[in-house]
Amino acid sequence: MAVPVTAAERPTRAVSPRHFVRLKLRVLGNNFRGQGWRIALFVVGVLFGLWFAAGGFLALAAPGMAGEPRYALMTAALGGGVLTLGWLLLPLVFFGVDETLDPARFALLPLARRTLVTGLLAAALVSVPAVATALTVTGLVVTSAALGGWPAALVGALGVVAGVLVCVAGARAVTSAFATMLRSRRVRDLAAVLLAVLAALLGPLQLLVLAAVRNADWDRLTGVARVVGWTPFGAPWTAGIDVAQGRTGAAVLKLLIAVATLGVLLLWWSRSLESAMVGAVSAGPAKAPRGAVGGAVAQLFPRAVGWVRRDRFGALVARECRYWWRDARRRANLITVAVVGVFVPVMVNLGGVSFSTEGGAAFGETSANSSPVLVSISMVFVGVLASVTLANQFGFDGSAYAANVVAAVPGRVELRARMAAFSLYVVPILLVVAVVLATVLGRPEWLGVMVGGLFAAYGCGLAINGFISVLGAYSLPETSNPFAMNTGAGIAKSLLTLLSMIASAVAAVPFVVAAALLGDVWLWLAPPVGLAYGAGAALLGAYLAGDALDRRQPELLATVTPRR
């Protein structure tokens, strides 16, 4: 008689990367059911990806079709290096990463770390950015084939595959590592410094490229391309070009560099991935509560907001202040504002740097190339960028927003409190940006124009983003990774960011016009007028968007609540 076999005694099939890919595709299909807006965003993302892939393919394939080996090397090394750098930095400061398969959900499953890493990497390759990148860099295979025949094309294809894997693994490793650091408040300063260093790498690269292009020193640019080609940023992309030019040994070494880089990135990712699965990093022993003076209610208000009224508005301000300081996702956005807010205006106003015939940069005439109008434009950008963080402010709350709905918090009070709490962190950053730029340019008399432009653009941005956060909110994944995004949410974030920045910039245009027409008089009028203009716009936006919030509270809660 046959003995029945229990479920525990049945042989289990080994888990392979294809299981993760099938799981991701199934989750994607389930997320699209009955969600027309998600399907529309996915289609828009595919169209953008195809447009990017077509343009990139033509740019990378053009040197081969034109028979220009020197330009082929420059295009492969510099274009591939920028592409790799974009994969590392853009998820941190703009797009985020797709976390359809949240690693934390696999914590209780008996999966080896190697299986989990390879499976999640395979699932990450099934995405619009990864596919678009793969289609783009096939132009290098065409160039290699045109210049060196099928052996160069074969090595180029191997390099392209390795390069795409390095891009995807690098993006996951960097975001996972920063997510781990940002969960610990003890190392948030270190995370800010590291992110600032990563963003600042773009500055020297920009100056170097501008110097080479303006002077048409192609020999110097070719030398730079050769150096970049031996780094992990350019090695996989230039291997096929080396074979086409008769440097087979160099091509083999570059493929080894790419493989070694991929191994290091996967090892780094696996370490931080294990921490993400375990949970939040401990913040250390809890501090003893403050004295009993004022009672338990007073202890709920941080010292920075001890001045607010002890009413509904004050409670909301206190809560938001704590969230902006303690929530890793929100803190990551504040770091982005601080880094980009200082970096972009300096680079814009230093864009007039002159270059000598030897390719060197002359910084002595920097401030003479700037003007109050250019400074006002850069300050409008910073103010708009600072406010765009609130475009999905209710998405940060997720299902916790139900408490506000149950309490029937008036929409106007809600939005004013959120604006006030966010401004407690952002306004000091904006003032630091203005002081730094005035010091770098050597124009302290322009400080008033800078402050006025910042406040005007920031206030207009608060008003515009109040409406966008109510009408265009989207849910965020329940994960400890502050850079994670749901499928399609990256496109939603990009479109909402673009819409917010354009609308806010248009609302702040009068300040740029005034700087161009009023001359020296505007240096004194800009600060009070900018403060009044920005504060009035923010209050008007909270008043009008608050009515829309009162009508849409249930729908908003359903929108920002993550789906399992």
Side-chain angles (χ1 to χ4, degrees):
M1 184 176 66
V3 179
V5 180
T6 63
E9 296 174 338
R10 293 172 185 164
T12 58
R13 299 171 58 186
V15 178
S16 64
R18 66 183 180 88
H19 291 93
F20 288 84
V21 174
R22 292 175 57 187
L23 179 60
K24 179 174 182 177
L25 294 176
R26 180 168 296 183
V27 173
L28 290 178
N30 293 336
N31 289 338
F32 288 149
R33 291 181 180 177
Q35 299 290 327
W37 66 273
R38 288 191 176 183
I39 298 176
L41 289 176
F42 181 76
V43 172
V44 171
V46 170
L47 294 178
F48 270 105
L50 291 176
W51 174 78
F52 170 82
F57 175 85
L58 293 176
L60 296 178
M65 293 185 290
E68 294 286 349
R70 182 174 64 172
Y71 296 142
L73 177 63
M74 287 191 296
T75 303
L78 300 181
V82 171
L83 184 65
T84 306
L85 191 63
W87 269 92
L88 295 179
L89 295 183
L90 289 181
L92 293 175
V93 299
F94 195 70
F95 293 106
V97 292
D98 182 6
E99 283 285 12
T100 302
L101 299 183
D102 186 0
R105 300 187 184 276
F106 297 92
L108 299 180
L109 298 179
L111 295 175
R113 186 164 57 184
R114 178 183 299 179
T115 301
L116 187 61
V117 169
T118 56
L120 291 177
L121 177 63
L125 292 172
V126 185
S127 64
V128 173
V131 174
T133 300
L135 293 177
T136 298
V137 294
T138 52
L140 295 176
V141 180
V142 174
T143 295
S144 301
L147 297 177
W150 70 265
L154 178 60
V155 175
L158 294 176
V160 162
V161 172
V164 172
L165 291 176
V166 167
C167 288
V168 177
R172 294 297 171 134
V174 170
T175 54
S176 181
F178 268 86
T180 302
M181 288 190 293
L182 288 174
R183 285 198 303 271
S184 172
R185 284 178 287 161
R186 293 183 179 274
V187 296
R188 59 177 174 267
D189 295 333
L190 175 61
V193 171
L194 292 177
L195 184 58
V197 171
L198 288 174
L201 290 177
L202 296 176
L205 179 62
Q206 182 188 31
L207 292 177
L208 187 63
V209 172
L210 284 176
V213 172
R214 290 192 180 190
N215 294 280
D217 191 352
W218 297 109
D219 293 334
R220 182 184 297 271
L221 196 59
T222 302
V224 173
R226 292 188 185 279
V227 173
V228 174
W230 282 100
T231 66
F233 292 96
W237 315 113
T238 57
I241 307 299
D242 284 336
V243 172
Q245 296 179 356
R247 297 188 295 270
T248 306
V252 174
L253 290 178
K254 289 183 178 181
L255 290 179
L256 293 177
I257 291 175
V259 173
T261 302
L262 179 61
V264 171
L265 290 174
L266 292 178
L267 179 61
W268 183 23
W269 183 23
S270 68
R271 301 294 183 183
S272 57
L273 186 65
E274 185 173 285
S275 175
M277 293 173 61
V278 172
V281 177
S282 172
K287 294 183 179 180
R290 293 182 304 204
V293 179
V297 174
Q299 297 181 14
L300 298 176
F301 287 78
R303 291 186 177 90
V305 294
W307 50 269
V308 298
R309 304 186 306 268
R310 298 306 193 260
D311 57 3
R312 180 176 289 181
F313 174 82
L316 288 173
V317 172
R319 187 201 68 170
E320 286 297 306
C321 281
R322 289 185 180 275
Y323 283 178
W324 279 107
W325 186 251
R326 294 184 177 182
D327 183 15
R329 198 191 304 271
R330 301 192 190 211
R331 193 161 59 240
N333 283 273
L334 290 178
I335 292 174
T336 300
V337 172
V339 173
V340 182
V342 174
F343 176 76
V344 173
V346 171
M347 293 307 303
V348 169
N349 288 275
L350 295 183
V353 176
S354 59
F355 295 88
S356 64
T357 55
E358 290 81 9
F363 293 91
E365 302 178 357
T366 297
S367 61
N369 295 316
S370 188
S371 67
V373 176
L374 182 59
V375 166
S376 298
I377 293 175
S378 62
M379 292 298 97
V380 166
F381 172 80
V382 174
V384 168
L385 177 68
S387 62
V388 80
T389 305
L390 295 183
N392 191 38
Q393 55 186 322
F394 296 99
F396 292 131
D397 293 353
S399 58
Y401 178 63
N404 296 36
V405 177
V406 173
V409 177
R412 299 171 185 175
V413 176
E414 175 100 37
L415 292 178
R416 286 202 306 267
R418 289 175 180 265
M419 291 179 182
F422 182 65
S423 299
L424 289 176
Y425 292 99
V426 173
V427 169
I429 296 176
L430 298 182
L431 294 177
V432 170
V433 169
V435 172
V436 169
L437 185 59
T439 302
V440 171
L441 296 180
R443 294 282 191 171
E445 67 274 15
W446 290 357
L447 184 60
V449 175
M450 298 176 188
V451 172
L454 283 172
F455 284 153
Y458 176 64
C460 294
L462 290 180
I464 298 298
N465 287 292
F467 280 99
I468 293 179
S469 64
V470 173
L471 303 177
Y474 53 90
S475 63
L476 297 174
E478 292 181 320
T479 175
S480 56
N481 187 347
F483 307 105
M485 301 292 292
N486 287 322
T487 301
I491 300 299
K493 180 180 179 181
S494 304
L495 295 178
L496 290 178
T497 299
L498 181 61
L499 174 63
S500 169
M501 296 185 70
I502 292 176
S504 302
V506 169
V509 161
F511 253 71
V512 180
V513 176
L517 298 180
L518 298 182
D520 293 340
V521 178
W522 188 243
L523 299 178
W524 302 96
L525 293 179
V529 174
L531 181 60
Y533 189 86
L539 292 176
L540 179 62
Y543 181 85
L544 298 177
D547 291 340
L549 179 58
D550 289 334
R551 296 190 301 268
R552 284 184 43 82
Q553 278 188 339
E555 293 83 356
L556 181 61
L557 175 60
T559 302
V560 301
T561 300
R563 290 194 170 191
R564 297 289 183 179

